[in-house]
Amino acid sequence: MLRVGNLQRSIDFYTRVLGMSLLRTTDRPEQKYSLAFVGYAGNPEQAEIELTYNYGVDHYDLGTAYGHIALGVADIYASCETIRASGGNITREPGPVKGGNTLIAFITDPDGYKIELIQSPA
């Protein structure tokens, strides 16, 4: 679960930039929060990311415990070009992980959360 400052902006990023689908939403006005679940497919086939918007909160300090989400991609170079063309922010260009051969890249979502792209084995 990621707490986000603007739910629609985050939904747009994960669906338009990363190509996920909006799987479902829930609005709880009495409890003052809304949820959106995004992913490439629903559970149990694929993992989902829960985006939580707490009414009136437009920014969070990310803290030091969070690292990043990792997503496997078939072609890391093509994925980065698609993300860049969709307005996404590539913060580490594709290349081998330090000390290894696995290709990785990093992007950042609109709230500053880091997402690692990992080239899936052929």
Side-chain angles (χ1 to χ4, degrees), residues 24-101:
R24 64 189 176 284
T25 60
T26 302
D27 191 33
R28 302 272 190 240
E30 289 183 20
Q31 290 78 27
K32 298 183 180 174
Y33 71 89
S34 295
L35 306 175
F37 293 83
V38 295
Y40 295 108
N43 274 322
E45 295 84 18
Q46 297 278 327
E48 300 174 0
I49 298 174
E50 176 185 345
L51 305 173
T52 299
Y53 171 70
N54 291 298
Y55 292 11
V57 181
D58 64 1
H59 178 283
Y60 288 93
D61 293 328
L62 298 184
T64 58
Y66 177 82
H68 60 269
I69 294 169
L71 300 174
V73 297
D75 181 336
I76 199 162
Y77 295 100
S79 294
C80 284
E81 286 310 311
T82 299
I83 289 166
R84 190 183 332 275
S86 298
N89 183 23
I90 310 291
T91 57
R92 184 205 191 268
E93 293 294 330
V97 66
K98 290 181 182 179
N101 296 323

Side-chain angles (χ1 to χ4, degrees), residues 14-32:
Y14 284 94
T15 58
R16 190 178 55 77
V17 175
L18 290 183
M20 293 182 180
S21 296
L22 176 60
L23 303 171
R24 64 189 176 284
T25 60
T26 302
D27 191 33
R28 302 272 190 240
E30 289 183 20
Q31 290 78 27
K32 298 183 180 174

